[in-house]
Amino acid sequence: MKYIELYVKSVGRKLPQSMREDIEAELRSTLMDMLDDRAKDTGRLVDEELEQELLREYGSPDEVAAKYLPEQQLISPKLYPIFWMIIKIVLTVLAITTIVSIGVQIGQMGGNVPGAATVVGDAFLGLIQSGIQAFGTVVLVFIIITRFGKVEKDWKSEWNPRDLLKIRDEDKIKPAELIAAIIFSTIGIVIFNFYPDLISLYHNVTGTIEVYPLLTDAFFGYLLWLNILWILEIIQNALLLKDGVYTRGSRIFEIALNIANIALLLVIISGPSIVQLPVTWMQEFAGMSSETASLVQNQFITGIRTVLGLVSAIVLIETAVKGYKLFRR
Amino acid sequence: MTDKEIIENQVLELRRGVTTYALLHILSSEQYGYSLQMTLSQLGLEVEQGTLYPLLRRLEQQGLLSSNWRVEEGRPRRYYQINDAGRELLQKLVDEWARLNAIISKFN
């Protein structure tokens, strides 16, 4: 019974520990019964050849083990169309950003051909790496939605065709706006995480382009929180595209996300500046004195803070209106 | 998927429901897996072993069958038998089968 024992163990290895012992015992007993019957029916002796013949007919261990396991889905089929749309957006944005980044870096080299080839090679490798990373992140997010989100609606709950009349115009989604929002959030994630140097001032100095980063270290301190909010926004917009209409739940999620955005903006405004106008750039290329450069720098930072403050105020008003409407309904 | 595979899949789908119906009927008396397959085969309902055991397991997990291990002819065997919940389901299946049969017979 050498082959039967090996076969049973092989099937068992492909099963969860909790059911393994039981299935192995039943399989072993059945195969032995089958082997005895086969020997009787054919008038042959029970030998390794007969064992092999039986096992071949019974099916491969993979096939047999698979039949005991429930079908599991990492990502709900209901989310597939949205999942692939997000994947396409993310990979397209990555590819375009990589091409722009290559252009900028080659521009900085001023005709250095071997250097340019290295830049293209490195960028290609970087694209593969960031592509895999981005793909993995999207897959992970959709696994979490499938596992913990309420993807399957309670279809059995009472449904009334009159409910269709209750869908107000303001609850209807605008797919183009949502897709655009997903694209912009993705661009934000890709540029600030993979190509932050693109947010810089460039100056051509005798054929070579000098780069002066506009983002400060303080910005990168907030990047984790910005990433979380952008990913949540992508999830929110993806789920809205799937549902096709705003619900009470999605409105509450939207308001909560807006409040989180305002809170982060207020923290950013009150902390050290997240952007700067490089003083050396202003002195060397705009011909400013150090005092003037410093003054312009301060005005620039104040300007940025004012803009962020205005954005916070607009989002706050918008959120308050949405909250009031939701409360009234 | 070829035309032949499509037809085979449809036939398989039809047989799948009938297999549960037949199993519950036969398991009014206690049987172990292999003897159950032999009974099904004698009735003309061939079910692959690889399909039969996972199905028995599912029905037991759903609380429709009970099972116990016994050693017979020097070999441990798992005996299955329908329980109260299984009998309740079987009665519903019998009624539904009669209803469907009456409908299907109108086509012929």
Side-chain angles (χ1 to χ4, degrees):
Chain A
M1 307 297 168
K2 183 178 80 178
Y3 282 100
I4 287 184
E5 200 48 43
L6 288 171
Y7 181 85
V8 167
K9 289 290 171 199
S10 178
V11 172
R13 275 196 296 273
K14 294 164 183 31
L15 295 169
Q17 186 81 40
S18 57
M19 55 166 76
R20 189 176 297 164
E21 198 183 334
D22 214 30
I23 292 173
E24 279 183 0
E26 192 168 39
L27 184 59
R28 187 181 294 110
S29 161
T30 303
L31 289 170
M32 286 176 164
D33 278 340
M34 289 175 83
L35 192 66
D36 287 348
D37 272 8
R38 184 172 285 239
K40 258 186 237 164
D41 292 346
T42 58
R44 288 163 62 185
L45 286 173
V46 173
D47 57 11
E48 288 190 356
E49 198 183 324
L50 199 66
E51 262 188 280
Q52 287 184 42
E53 199 180 289
L54 171 73
L55 296 176
R56 247 194 307 275
E57 283 173 27
Y58 202 85
S60 73
D62 285 312
E63 190 188 343
V64 173
K67 287 186 177 164
Y68 282 98
L69 300 169
E71 276 187 30
Q72 286 179 321
Q73 289 149 344
L74 274 181
I75 296 173
S76 165
K78 289 188 168 61
L79 290 172
Y80 269 154
I82 306 290
F83 168 73
W84 284 116
M85 187 193 76
I86 303 269
I87 287 288
K88 282 179 199 165
I89 289 175
V90 169
L91 295 183
T92 308
V93 168
L94 260 178
I96 292 171
T97 322
T98 304
I99 292 166
V100 173
S101 166
I102 290 172
V104 169
Q105 287 183 63
I106 289 176
Q108 291 168 27
M109 296 181 159
N112 176 357
V113 176
T118 311
V119 164
V120 173
D122 287 349
F124 183 69
L125 287 176
L127 178 64
I128 292 173
Q129 200 180 352
S130 50
I132 292 170
Q133 204 175 331
F135 186 85
T137 308
V138 176
V139 168
L140 188 66
V141 166
F142 274 82
I143 289 173
I144 292 169
I145 296 175
T146 302
R147 188 86 177 81
F148 301 105
K150 201 180 169 191
V151 176
E152 309 293 330
K153 286 193 174 174
D154 186 8
W155 302 110
K156 284 177 190 164
S157 63
E158 282 207 15
W159 181 81
N160 191 339
R162 283 179 183 274
D163 291 345
L164 294 171
L165 297 172
K166 289 183 192 165
I167 299 173
R168 302 175 183 197
D169 282 345
E170 64 198 47
D171 285 339
K172 288 176 188 163
I173 62 152
K174 291 173 183 157
E177 276 182 18
L178 295 175
I179 292 171
I182 290 172
I183 293 172
F184 282 120
S185 299
T186 310
I187 290 173
I189 292 172
V190 170
I191 289 183
F192 291 116
N193 286 279
F194 299 114
Y195 304 103
D197 284 350
L198 288 176
I199 316 293
S200 303
L201 286 176
Y202 297 90
H203 206 97
N204 194 337
V205 186
T206 59
T208 305
I209 296 177
E210 299 267 350
V211 183
Y212 296 90
L214 289 172
L215 299 171
T216 64
D217 288 344
F219 172 83
F220 294 98
Y222 299 119
L223 192 53
L224 173 68
W225 298 106
L226 286 167
N227 281 335
I228 291 171
L229 290 178
W230 282 324
I231 289 173
L232 286 174
E233 267 169 25
I234 292 174
I235 293 171
Q236 183 207 15
N237 291 326
L239 291 177
L240 279 172
L241 278 172
K242 181 183 84 67
D243 291 342
V245 67
Y246 279 95
T247 60
R248 189 179 166 77
S250 54
R251 289 279 187 210
I252 292 171
F253 188 78
E254 187 187 27
I255 289 170
L257 206 53
N258 279 359
I259 292 170
N261 269 312
I262 294 166
L264 185 61
L265 277 172
L266 292 178
V267 171
I268 289 174
I269 292 167
S270 58
S273 179
I274 55 168
V275 284
Q276 63 182 355
L277 262 185
V279 174
T280 45
W281 176 82
M282 287 189 280
Q283 286 174 319
E284 287 179 28
F285 303 109
M288 294 181 196
S289 66
S290 66
E291 275 180 7
T292 315
S294 188
L295 193 67
V296 172
Q297 173 79 291
N298 285 339
Q299 281 173 344
F300 176 73
I301 290 170
T302 308
I304 291 292
R305 285 199 170 120
T306 310
V307 170
L308 292 179
L310 280 172
V311 171
S312 309
I314 292 166
V315 178
L316 184 65
I317 293 166
E318 193 187 278
T319 308
V321 171
K322 281 179 180 166
Y324 176 69
K325 279 184 182 171
L326 189 71
F327 177 72
R328 260 184 53 193
R329 284 166 70 179
Chain B
M1 200 182 270
T2 63
D3 287 352
K4 197 182 164 199
E5 282 171 338
I6 292 169
I7 292 168
E8 277 173 5
N9 274 348
Q10 293 293 337
V11 172
L12 201 67
E13 284 294 318
L14 187 63
R15 286 168 65 101
R16 198 165 283 158
V18 178
T19 307
T20 305
Y21 181 97
L23 275 186
L24 293 174
H25 251 301
I26 297 167
L27 289 175
S28 298
S29 58
E30 213 178 33
Q31 295 224 28
Y32 62 95
Y34 186 56
S35 69
L36 183 60
Q37 201 215 1
M38 291 292 105
T39 310
L40 285 167
S41 177
Q42 279 159 14
L43 290 168
L45 198 62
E46 298 286 350
V47 181
E48 282 179 31
Q49 292 278 356
T51 306
L52 181 64
Y53 288 98
L55 177 59
L56 285 168
R57 225 184 146 72
R58 264 201 300 280
L59 292 175
E60 191 187 15
Q61 279 167 355
Q62 288 166 1
L64 301 165
L65 298 178
S66 305
S67 75
N68 63 82
W69 282 96
R70 281 209 302 273
V71 178
E72 267 191 3
E73 298 166 27
R75 203 163 279 169
R77 283 179 176 144
R78 188 178 196 167
Y79 280 81
Y80 295 90
Q81 190 167 19
I82 192 169
N83 58 21
D84 288 345
R87 268 186 284 276
E88 194 182 322
L89 171 67
L90 179 60
Q91 189 51 53
K92 286 196 175 135
L93 291 178
V94 168
D95 295 343
E96 187 61 16
W97 181 262
R99 199 181 70 81
L100 288 173
N101 200 28
I103 296 167
I104 299 290
S105 62
K106 288 178 192 165
F107 298 149
N108 302 320

